[in-house]
Amino acid sequence: MTKYGSFPGTRPRRLRTTPALRRMVAETRLHPADFILPAFVREGVSEPVPISSMPGVVQHTRDSLKKAAVEALEAGVSGIMLFGVPDDAKKDAVGTPGTDPDGILQVALRDVRAEVGDELLVMSDLCLDETTDHGHCGVLDEQGRVDNDATLERYAEMAQVQADAGAHIVGPSGMMDGQIGVIRDALDQIGREDVAVLAYTAKYSSAFYGPFREAVGSSLKGDRKTYQQDPANARESMRELALDLEEGADMVMVKPAGPYLDILARVAGAVDVPVAAYQISGEYSMIEAAAEKGWIDRDKAILETLTGIKRAGAQNILTYWATEVARNLR
């Protein structure tokens, strides 16, 4: 048999031969500072309440939330994104708990900010879905449709009370047209130019939100397809991106993360502001459930999905594994 010199001359496998070599040439590296921990705080509970569809995740008490924030800080996580779960009896058509200074989210913001100061970014979900009796992200009109402009007025109020409660960053997640501009103006009106806005720029109407509904005690009737994006569309995300940046977004986000890595890559390649992605409840629960069945290696699957999200262009990742992974990376 004829031997053709050193054929093949190019051997990419040379750079995969040992763990040390693979580590040295790795193009994407996860770091604790990449992560933001989403956390739920429930009004009126004396013990954390497990979320059955999200193994290992709970609805916190005020005290356990403070502990979780400190643990995230000690692990090197950059921020904590808070979601409030009010008593059902306090929900109404306009989401009053969302603008009540004594609403559970505002109380939790003050608690956590007092606990961690400026060492951990305290972030707040700015949306009405957790506080309305119909579960939609906005105010409904007489025909039961989400009224975009009436909702913007509520978002402006929410931004101001969340800023007053201590939020470093607000995250408008309702996908209302014009929400970033209205919120930026509302914050500036009360002299809170220092509060940043993380725009949920591309938030898709996804089947993977299912476990989140339990996590926030959702009262949703119907669906959110008239305001969240159609999973079939990509160019639409770039239009939303241009509008959010024009309106003053400081950071932008793609949600969900895993099923929309193509969108994440397009967004990341088009902007010079930080880009985040949210690894949502369904993404989390699928891995936990499959690992519980022994079908996949849990820890390796977690790292692989997070690496893929960062490789696609996310500078920051919201994930329920934030503290765990950050500890393991240190």
Side-chain angles (χ1 to χ4, degrees), residues 139-161:
V139 178
L140 304 184
D141 64 16
E142 293 180 355
Q143 286 74 44
R145 302 168 301 190
V146 175
D147 186 325
N148 191 93
D149 294 0
T151 299
L152 294 182
E153 294 181 20
R154 298 291 293 134
Y155 285 3
E157 294 178 61
M158 291 184 76
Q160 292 177 342
V161 297

Side-chain angles (χ1 to χ4, degrees), residues 81-301:
M81 173 69 81
L82 303 187
F83 296 84
V85 184
D87 287 337
D88 284 344
K90 294 183 178 180
K91 296 180 181 181
D92 59 22
V94 296
T96 297
T99 50
D100 181 354
D102 294 320
I104 183 59
L105 180 54
Q106 287 69 252
V107 169
L109 286 167
R110 291 194 292 271
D111 285 345
V112 175
R113 186 66 188 274
E115 193 76 16
V116 300
D118 293 330
E119 294 185 73
L120 181 73
L121 290 172
V122 180
M123 309 166 75
S124 57
D125 178 60
L126 199 163
C127 195
L128 289 171
D129 59 323
E130 297 107 34
T131 60
T132 53
D133 54 13
H134 47 73
H136 278 286
C137 297
V139 178
L140 304 184
D141 64 16
E142 293 180 355
Q143 286 74 44
R145 302 168 301 190
V146 175
D147 186 325
N148 191 93
D149 294 0
T151 299
L152 294 182
E153 294 181 20
R154 298 291 293 134
Y155 285 3
E157 294 178 61
M158 291 184 76
Q160 292 177 342
V161 297
Q162 289 179 1
D164 286 342
H168 293 102
I169 299 173
V170 296
S173 59
M175 291 299 289
M176 296 296 119
D177 295 339
Q179 63 183 15
I180 303 303
V182 166
I183 288 167
R184 182 71 272 159
D185 185 58
L187 291 169
D188 292 351
Q189 283 181 21
I190 61 170
R192 296 310 305 271
E193 295 88 353
D194 57 319
V195 175
V197 179
L198 167 59
Y200 283 60
T201 289
K203 183 179 180 182
Y204 283 87
S205 179
S206 172
F208 293 97
Y209 294 129
F212 183 86
R213 305 282 188 254
E214 178 189 355
V216 297
S218 175
S219 304
L220 180 65
K221 301 175 180 67
D223 59 49
R224 297 181 173 132
K225 293 181 180 180
T226 64
Y227 43 102
Q228 294 179 352
Q229 287 181 232
D230 186 337
N233 294 348
R235 288 194 302 270
E236 183 180 35
S237 295
M238 305 311 290
R239 186 183 186 195
E240 293 278 5
L241 174 65
L243 290 168
D244 284 351
L245 293 175
E246 181 181 346
E247 291 173 24
D250 300 290
M251 307 167 64
V252 296
M253 183 159 68
V254 174
K255 180 182 181 180
Y260 298 93
L261 294 180
D262 59 324
I263 305 301
L264 176 57
R266 288 181 65 169
V267 168
V271 301
D272 56 5
V273 299
V275 176
Y278 196 147
Q279 185 182 51
I280 67 170
S281 59
E283 299 176 75
Y284 171 92
S285 296
M286 285 193 302
I287 290 178
E288 291 289 351
E292 184 179 350
K293 291 283 189 180
W295 294 339
I296 60 172
D297 184 310
R298 175 185 181 275
D299 293 348
K300 289 181 180 178

